[in-house]
């Protein structure tokens, strides 16, 4: 992979965050998220009030989740030299990023179903589909956590004289994986910090995701530019 290809793929990480902010948080107006305790009629009225923005926002968010793949593969490729003949950590990262991207895109598809059937479907069914969308968006933490753990271990295993990632990036990856886990608590709670609009289940996983992407992208970009100067990349 040449330098330009690596840089383009790495920059899809920040682009992913931008599309997520623009689509999910700005256009769809899902920051703060709606309460899981809303009545069906309240939920329908809320979405109708911003139906165009909701549809466009989820479409933009869908594209953002697709950008997760080139970014995640680029990070895994930078860590490939830390392994020997059997790069199981690299393959684990690639498999997890594919699953994670599909999960995120799948959540936006379900949100779009909510908007598509808003006018001719019972509000209780709309709320159930909306619940499914949130469960798909937040709760499937294992793929993300395994991805982060594999990445963190690969960073710690880098014994090269000039590693691509500092050790703090490994700790960031591990802690990010740990902090994704509480998102599954939305299965039990409709209000409070463990609900899908709560501090622990939503804000902590989402914002640590932003920090993680930025935190591993920056040293990866630095290492690519370093290798280009040395004629390695």
């Amino acid at each position: 992979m040449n330098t330009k290809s690596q840089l383009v793929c790495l920059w899809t990480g920040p682009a992913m965050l931008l599309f997520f902010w623009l689509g999910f948080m700005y256009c769809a107006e899902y920051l703060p998220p709606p309460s899981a305790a809303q009545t069906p009629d309240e939920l329908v009225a809320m979405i109708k009030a911003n139906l165009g923005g909701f549809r466009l926002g989820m479409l933009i968010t869908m594209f953002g989740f697709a950008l997760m793949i080139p970014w995640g593969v680029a990070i895994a490729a930078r860590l490939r030299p830390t392994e020997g003949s059997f790069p199981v950590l690299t393959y684990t990262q690639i498999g997890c990023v594919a699953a994670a991207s599909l999960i995120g895109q799948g959540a936006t598809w379900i949100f779009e179903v909510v908007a598509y059937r808003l006018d001719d479907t019972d509000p209780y069914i709309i709320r159930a589909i909306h619940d499914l969308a949130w469960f798909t968006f937040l709760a499937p933490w294992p793929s993300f956590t395994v991805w982060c753990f594999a990445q963190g271990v690969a960073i710690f295993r880098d014994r090269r004289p000039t590693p691509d990632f500092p050790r703090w990036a490994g700790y960031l990856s591990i802690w990010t994986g740990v902090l994704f886990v509480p998102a599954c608590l939305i299965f039990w709670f409709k209000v409070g910090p463990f609900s899908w609009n709560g501090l622990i289940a939503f804000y902590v996983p989402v914002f640590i995701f932003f920090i993680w992407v930025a935190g591993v992208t920056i040293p990866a970009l630095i290492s690519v530019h370093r290798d280009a100067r040395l004629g390695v990349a």
Side-chain angles (χ1 to χ4, degrees):
M1 182 184 290
N2 61 36
T3 299
K4 184 178 292 187
S5 297
Q6 292 185 69
L7 292 174
V8 169
C9 288
L10 288 171
W11 276 109
T12 59
M16 169 183 62
L17 301 182
L18 176 62
F19 279 113
F20 180 72
W21 172 83
L22 179 63
F24 199 82
M25 300 180 181
Y26 181 76
C27 292
E29 298 181 357
Y30 262 35
L31 188 69
S35 171
Q38 279 184 317
T39 67
D41 291 333
E42 288 172 341
L43 175 64
V44 169
M46 181 201 72
I47 297 175
K48 280 186 176 180
N50 182 40
L51 186 57
F54 182 84
R55 282 173 163 156
L56 177 61
M58 293 305 167
L59 183 64
I60 294 171
T61 306
M62 184 192 311
F63 182 68
F65 276 115
L67 294 180
M68 182 182 289
I69 295 176
W71 175 78
V73 170
I75 297 294
R78 295 302 303 177
L79 289 167
R80 169 64 182 86
T82 66
E83 299 187 83
S85 302
F86 301 96
V88 292
L89 294 175
T90 300
Y91 294 151
T92 299
Q93 290 177 73
I94 293 173
C96 287
V97 71
S101 175
L102 185 59
I103 289 168
Q105 292 182 68
T108 64
W109 304 336
I110 301 170
F111 277 121
E112 292 286 11
V113 172
V114 170
Y116 186 72
R117 289 299 184 187
L118 199 61
D119 291 328
D120 57 2
T121 303
D122 186 287
Y124 283 90
I125 297 177
I126 292 294
R127 187 173 67 172
I129 299 172
H130 188 257
D131 290 346
L132 177 61
W134 273 104
F135 283 5
T136 306
F137 179 73
L138 277 180
W141 58 269
S143 293
F144 290 90
T145 297
V146 172
W147 176 15
C148 291
F149 284 179
Q151 186 181 100
V153 172
I155 292 172
F156 291 144
R157 286 169 55 92
D158 193 346
R159 303 302 184 193
R160 291 173 292 177
T162 307
D164 285 351
F165 297 87
R167 289 186 66 82
W168 62 257
Y171 288 109
L172 175 61
S173 297
I174 297 297
W175 274 108
T176 299
V178 171
L179 292 173
F180 281 154
V181 176
C184 69
L185 294 173
I186 65 173
F187 292 148
W188 287 272
F189 296 91
K190 295 184 177 70
V191 295
F194 303 120
S195 65
W196 71 49
N197 66 335
L199 174 64
I200 304 300
F202 177 78
Y203 288 97
V204 169
V206 168
F207 285 102
I208 193 62
F209 177 76
F210 273 68
I211 294 169
W212 171 59
V213 171
V216 298
T217 299
I218 292 171
L221 289 169
I222 292 172
S223 68
V224 171
H225 285 295
R226 181 200 65 214
D227 287 352
R229 288 194 303 269
L230 296 175
V232 176

